[in-house]
Structures are given as structure tokens and as C-alpha cells.
Amino acid sequence: MKQIKIVFTGLMLSSLLMGCTEEEKKVEQVKAEEAKNEVVTIETETEVNPRKIWKDVSTPEGFNHYGIEPTLNAWIAYHAEDITTTTDVNEYYPKANRLTTELTYFRVQGEDLEKDFENLNVLQTFMGHLDYVISVEEEQGIDTDEAYEELKVSFKYFTELLHDLNSIINENGQGETFGLTHQLDGNRVDELEKFLYSEAVEIGK
């Protein structure tokens, strides 16, 4: 009788052990399936181009024009909108000159963005030259069509570049731009600078 009990007990243990083994196999299979389906998130650090890092170094104390807040954001937003309302060609240069004169108050620091503001300033300077040429030609009775055409092209570039700068400063470069800034690696920067600096060479002759 004892022998039968021992054999019976042994059979039960064997069955239990087999059951555990099967259960362990199932658990391992579930874990394997979960591992396959697991989404692995790899964190990567995006390297920031130091030429793109910029900061506002404006000193707007004493600026109280246009009824706006004396901040870089409000100032450039105002001009970006205001300049698009200009339809009188005789207002092109005065509008551009007013803006660049105010750069004594509103400034940025950053390699690429400084280049873009410099291009804005060069456009204004070129428009000033054309404004002078037109006045001289009109006094002398010379045809002014060519000078006026260049003034219109310059003002268009000025308006578009200002739009892009406003997008950078107020919208973090989001939305549609005209592709005229170094800051956003614009696809028309070379076009703008070819126009600008070939004209500057002509003026210097």
C-alpha cells in the first residue's frame, strides 16, 4: 500500500512539474511577443547650428512711435504690415529709411540674422541712391524709367525680406516665407545678394 502511495505521489509531482514547465514556456512566449511589439524610443540630441542662435539686444528706451509697445517683436510686426500698404513710389525710400534709422533702438545678435538685417540696410541704402538719381534726372529732364524700375524691384525685395524677418522673430520661422534670409537658409538669398552687391559695385564705380 505504501508503495502504491509513493508511486502515486511521484506521478502527481511529475505532472505538476510538467505543468510548471508548460506554464513557464507560455510566459516566455508572451514575453517574446511583447518584446517584438515593443516600440523602442531612441532619444537623439539635435545639434544646433551656432550661426542660427540669436538674441534680442535692443535698447528701446526713448522709443515711443506708432503707439506700439517698444519691443523688437511689436516694432518689426508693425513695419512688416505697414510697408505693404505703401503704393506711392515716392514713399518707398522714406518708408525704408524710417525703418533702418530705428535700428539704433532695435537690434539682434546672431551671425546669420545679423547678415539678414545688413541686407535690409543695404537695400535701403541702394534705394536712397536711386531716390537721389531720380531727383537729379528729373531736374535735368532725363528719362527716369530705368531708375524707377530699379527702385520698385528694390522695394519689393525690401518688403519680402522684412516679411521673412518678422516671421523669424514673431513666428519662429513658421509659415510661408519668401526665402530671402540666411537665418532660414532661404533659397533666394543668392538671388537677393547678386542683385544687391552687383548694384553696389556699380554705385562705387
Side-chain angles (χ1 to χ4, degrees):
M1 197 70 169
K2 286 182 181 179
Q3 287 180 346
I4 294 170
K5 282 183 180 178
I6 290 167
V7 171
F8 183 68
T9 306
L11 288 170
M12 285 182 66
L13 285 171
S14 179
S15 298
L16 285 170
L17 287 171
M18 286 178 67
C20 288
T21 305
E22 289 299 320
E23 193 63 35
E24 285 174 0
K25 284 182 181 178
K26 287 179 182 177
V27 170
E28 290 300 321
Q29 285 176 349
V30 169
K31 285 182 179 179
E33 288 298 320
E34 287 177 351
K36 284 180 186 177
N37 297 327
E38 185 181 354
V39 177
V40 179
T41 304
I42 300 173
E43 292 186 6
T44 57
E45 290 186 9
T46 305
E47 188 175 340
V48 179
N49 187 335
R51 294 186 294 106
K52 306 297 180 187
I53 299 171
W54 69 275
K55 62 180 179 179
D56 179 359
V57 291
S58 302
T59 52
E61 291 79 9
F63 180 86
N64 56 2
H65 305 330
Y66 320 120
I68 62 173
E69 289 294 320
T71 64
L72 174 68
N73 301 67
W75 171 78
I76 200 160
Y78 170 83
H79 280 294
E81 182 178 355
D82 176 68
I83 207 159
T84 60
T85 66
T86 308
T87 56
D88 183 355
V89 69
N90 295 311
E91 284 296 308
Y92 287 178
Y93 171 65
K95 288 267 189 178
N97 183 56
R98 182 174 64 179
L99 184 151
T100 55
T101 299
E102 292 166 6
L103 288 174
T104 56
Y105 294 102
F106 302 102
R107 300 190 309 279
V108 298
Q109 190 175 79
E111 187 176 340
D112 275 2
L113 198 54
E114 285 183 55
K115 288 179 184 177
D116 296 326
F117 271 97
E118 179 58 26
N119 282 345
L120 196 72
N121 199 46
V122 173
L123 277 166
Q124 177 270 335
T125 301
F126 183 53
M127 281 191 277
H129 166 74
L130 292 171
D131 190 63
Y132 171 75
V133 168
I134 289 168
S135 65
V136 170
E137 288 178 344
E138 286 177 341
E139 284 181 7
Q140 297 178 355
I142 300 171
D143 181 67
T144 59
D145 286 351
E146 185 178 345
Y148 268 118
E149 189 56 37
E150 285 188 310
L151 182 59
K152 289 174 184 176
V153 172
S154 301
F155 187 73
K156 186 172 185 293
Y157 275 129
F158 190 92
T159 303
E160 292 175 348
L161 178 54
L162 184 57
H163 167 90
D164 287 6
L165 289 170
N166 179 55
S167 176
I168 291 165
I169 291 168
N170 280 308
E171 301 167 17
N172 198 29
Q174 302 302 309
E176 291 187 12
T177 63
F178 291 99
L180 292 174
T181 64
H182 288 276
Q183 184 68 19
L184 297 178
D185 297 319
N187 60 355
R188 294 177 61 213
V189 173
D190 287 345
E191 172 195 322
L192 169 63
E193 293 188 341
K194 184 178 179 181
F195 169 79
L196 262 185
Y197 296 105
S198 64
E199 296 295 349
V201 169
E202 289 299 318
I203 293 170
K205 287 183 179 179

